[in-house]
Amino acid sequence: MKLRRSANKMLIEPPSVATGDIAFNLLVFFLVCASTQPDAGRKQEIPRSDPQQQQTEQSQNIEVSITRTTAAINGQVKPAGDFLRDLRLLLAAKTKPEDKVVVVKSTKDVPYTQWILYTGWIGEAGGIVTLQMEEEQTTLVN
Amino acid sequence: MKVARRQFKVEVPSVAMGDIAFNLLVFFVILARAQDDSHLQWEPAVAADVEAVKNTKVSIVVDNNNKLYLNGRELDQARLAGAVEKELGDAPAGQRTVILKIHNDSQALRFEPILEAVSEAGGEIVHILEENKDS
């Protein structure tokens, strides 16, 4: 007697039950990978403000004023191309670490991009950024 | 004649154990990231010199709607210094990093008080920026 070999028995299909699990795990894995990318940035030391000390030392420190479109060193507006070079020259003349403090004044509308650019240059020139903010004062008008 | 009852062996299926372990692992990794602020929309400013940031305890975000968030939770500017101080606790220097994710269009009126508050709380400021590869 001849036995007929069934064609179906030779077909071995990979189990499709686990496909969903595999796809889900891959998805979660790549999502986690994408969300845990390390941040990159720049450190900045901003000394704690001491109003009394600030008043006595302010005259000796370099002052940088930033507006939306310009920047000035000790009141003199500098083109962006000259800013770093001129600030380096000024800071090179300062020997004491406390004299390397650069007082940064910004107008209210200075965008963060502009501020980061100039404070980055101050750090590059060897200066220590300190902020001088406009204080809010309440004036009573009779 | 007595017919012995056939005993069925019942076992916990071990095929899925790897999958379960992996999913639990991923779940706890995500939970551990307590300062998740990935849902917030902001664009970083561009800078030439940036370095990788590690060991961050506190994250501050100013999003594209000019709203302030501390570790993913919206916060009022007036309460920022106290909240940062609380988050940092007694951490020693070097482990008091506060990352600032400030939207590139934010104005000084918004971000300068934040810098002052972090400085007041004794935080070590790190601005999160995008590297400018052209320069």
Side-chain angles (χ1 to χ4, degrees):
Chain A
M1 190 183 138
K2 250 188 178 180
L3 286 173
R4 191 177 285 173
R5 184 179 281 179
S6 161
N8 284 341
K9 279 187 182 171
M10 293 298 285
L11 257 175
I12 301 167
E13 283 184 4
S16 58
V17 185
T19 316
D21 271 2
I22 294 165
F24 176 75
N25 278 332
L26 282 171
L27 188 81
V28 170
F29 176 74
F30 286 110
L31 266 180
V32 171
C33 277
S35 65
T36 52
Q37 274 182 341
D39 288 317
R42 183 199 292 160
K43 268 191 177 183
Q44 189 171 51
E45 279 181 43
I46 296 180
R48 285 190 199 210
S49 57
D50 182 355
Q52 285 183 337
Q53 203 182 1
Q54 220 175 24
Q55 277 182 348
T56 52
E57 287 183 0
Q58 217 172 47
S59 55
Q60 296 164 12
N61 294 126
I62 297 166
E63 194 181 289
V64 170
S65 309
I66 309 171
T67 68
R68 197 170 177 84
T69 49
T70 62
I73 302 173
N74 290 335
Q76 284 187 310
V77 176
K78 301 280 177 188
D82 297 343
F83 185 89
L84 181 59
R85 189 200 59 199
D86 291 359
L87 189 64
R88 259 199 191 127
L89 285 172
L90 283 171
L91 282 167
K94 309 266 184 189
T95 48
K96 291 181 197 168
E98 61 265 30
D99 291 344
K100 303 251 179 194
V101 170
V102 177
V103 180
V104 177
K105 286 181 185 177
S106 313
T107 53
K108 288 175 183 176
D109 60 346
V110 171
Y112 184 63
T113 315
Q114 171 97 333
W115 192 89
I116 278 291
L117 177 72
Y118 283 101
T119 54
W121 280 342
I122 292 168
E124 212 179 311
I128 301 161
V129 173
T130 188
L131 303 179
Q132 191 176 54
M133 289 159 63
E134 288 174 30
E135 282 181 25
E136 281 181 26
Q137 286 183 339
T138 312
T139 313
L140 285 171
V141 181
N142 291 327
Chain B
M1 187 189 149
K2 252 189 175 178
V3 180
R5 183 175 284 178
R6 204 172 159 190
Q7 298 252 323
F8 291 99
K9 219 178 178 183
V10 181
E11 278 180 2
V12 179
S14 57
V15 184
M17 285 300 168
D19 273 2
I20 295 166
F22 179 78
N23 279 330
L24 281 172
L25 188 80
V26 169
F27 176 72
F28 285 110
V29 163
I30 293 171
L31 269 194
R33 298 182 69 233
Q35 53 182 49
D36 187 28
D37 50 23
S38 50
H39 61 287
L40 300 173
Q41 301 279 313
W42 67 286
E43 279 174 39
V46 178
D49 52 333
V50 291
E51 52 191 56
V53 185
K54 289 171 190 169
N55 298 331
T56 58
K57 268 198 151 187
V58 184
S59 150
I60 294 173
V61 180
V62 174
D63 73 353
N64 51 11
N65 292 319
N66 221 23
K67 283 182 181 167
L68 173 67
Y69 297 86
L70 177 72
N71 287 346
R73 294 186 307 271
E74 197 174 346
L75 190 80
D76 187 45
Q77 168 68 54
R79 287 164 53 208
L80 183 65
V84 171
E85 209 167 348
K86 196 179 164 189
E87 291 282 342
L88 290 172
D90 297 328
Q95 287 173 30
R96 299 182 68 86
T97 306
V98 176
I99 54 170
L100 297 181
K101 299 177 176 181
I102 298 174
H103 184 59
N104 56 14
D105 258 356
S106 287
Q107 296 186 342
L109 183 67
R110 185 65 172 130
F111 65 78
E112 277 195 337
I114 294 170
L115 298 175
E116 197 192 24
V118 175
S119 173
E120 205 178 290
E124 292 156 3
I125 296 170
V126 176
H127 297 270
I128 299 301
L129 305 165
E130 193 182 316
E131 190 173 10
N132 183 6
K133 285 168 185 168
D134 300 335
S135 59

